[in-house]
Amino acid sequence: GDSVTQMEGPVTLSEEAFLTINCTYTATGYPSLFWYVQYPGEGLQLLLKATKADDKGSNKGFEATYRKETTSFHLEKGSVQVSDSAVYFCALSDPGSQGNLIFGKGTKLSVKP
Amino acid sequence: GAGVSQSPRYKVAKRGQDVALRCDPISGHVSLFWYQQALGQGPEFLTYFQNEAQLDKSGLPSDRFFAERPEGSVSTLKIQRTQQEDSAVYLCASSLDLTYGYTFGSGTRLTVV
């Protein structure tokens, strides 16, 4: 079945460092791909998405490119801030499904000043 | 309302007790999902409603789990004879158009003792 694999955390960075969180997926069709973020004490929020190969999703300085050839959707940010500290989830939605998401296990990011 | 509201925020249940978790979706949102998030894991799909119709309940882990949305708005997830393995955060999400993703509530943290 479909699945999502994320790099394990926690990830600890200094402010203004470059961030990469790796995400790869397995799917039978051509899924839509998502990054969700969960700030402490809050619900999951959609960070960005891409619906087809070579699409780039971007939001709040974060970017991820849908790479069909490597089945990847790595999350990047050029300069992280303390306020980016959160848990990040990669997810996919199979076009044959009802829209339900399959999530990775999440990667906790801590940014130190 | 402005967002997806879930209640209670926290619930402690004795093993064997029945619990009911409520979700108030965003007004007008047709699609409603329930997810279960165990500690340190990503959310896992439980069930999906389109209006009042439960179109997919393949993720419900056992027949002790039951969900309803009788008027196509508020939904209730009921767990009968709770077990320790039911301890998790239960997330509700709603959507007007799945193309644009959906909005999650803050979840109900269920602890079975």
Side-chain angles (χ1 to χ4, degrees):
Chain A
D2 295 355
S3 65
V4 174
T5 303
Q6 285 182 241
M7 63 183 286
E8 290 191 16
V11 174
T12 302
L13 296 174
S14 297
E15 207 165 21
E16 298 184 3
F18 184 84
L19 168 71
T20 300
I21 300 178
N22 290 339
C23 171
T24 57
Y25 67 89
T26 302
T28 51
Y30 298 95
S32 294
L33 301 173
F34 305 82
W35 278 100
Y36 278 82
V37 59
Q38 190 170 37
Y39 297 103
E42 298 184 17
L44 284 163
Q45 300 175 24
L46 177 63
L47 181 60
L48 54 83
K49 70 183 179 83
T51 57
K52 61 182 187 297
D54 300 324
D55 267 2
K56 178 185 284 188
S58 61
N59 186 25
K60 300 181 181 180
F62 290 89
E63 293 182 340
T65 301
Y66 190 143
R67 300 287 189 200
K68 181 171 174 293
E69 63 276 12
T70 54
T71 61
S72 65
F73 193 55
H74 304 321
L75 182 68
E76 297 182 335
K77 186 175 186 182
S79 176
V80 294
Q81 305 299 312
V82 172
S83 57
D84 294 326
S85 297
V87 181
Y88 292 82
F89 292 92
C90 185
L92 71 80
S93 177
D94 192 303
S97 73
Q98 304 278 3
N100 49 293
L101 293 168
I102 297 171
F103 286 88
K105 292 186 177 182
T107 303
K108 183 176 182 179
L109 170 67
S110 295
V111 181
K112 307 297 185 185
Chain B
V4 178
S5 178
Q6 292 187 246
S7 61
R9 189 70 189 268
Y10 303 93
K11 175 68 179 178
V12 178
K14 291 186 177 180
R15 191 168 48 186
Q17 188 178 357
D18 296 350
V19 298
L21 312 180
R22 178 187 169 102
C23 172
D24 280 89
I26 294 173
S27 179
H29 277 198
V30 170
S31 299
L32 186 146
F33 296 81
W34 283 98
Y35 286 81
Q36 180 190 58
Q37 186 177 13
L39 188 64
Q41 303 294 315
E44 292 191 356
F45 169 77
L46 293 176
T47 188
Y48 163 64
F49 289 86
Q50 187 174 82
N51 295 307
E52 69 279 5
Q54 189 175 20
L55 299 185
D56 188 346
K57 54 181 180 179
S58 61
L60 296 176
S62 78
D63 59 8
R64 296 186 296 104
F65 286 71
F66 173 75
E68 60 184 6
R69 194 186 185 197
E71 297 178 0
S73 177
V74 171
S75 178
T76 303
L77 177 67
K78 298 179 179 177
I79 308 173
Q80 297 176 324
R81 305 181 303 280
T82 52
Q83 306 293 314
Q84 282 193 317
E85 61 263 28
D86 300 336
S87 296
V89 175
Y90 290 85
L91 298 169
C92 177
S94 71
S95 175
L96 180 62
D97 182 340
L98 292 172
T99 305
Y100 302 102
Y102 35 83
T103 304
F104 280 88
S106 297
T108 294
R109 181 178 296 279
L110 172 66
T111 303
V112 181
V113 298

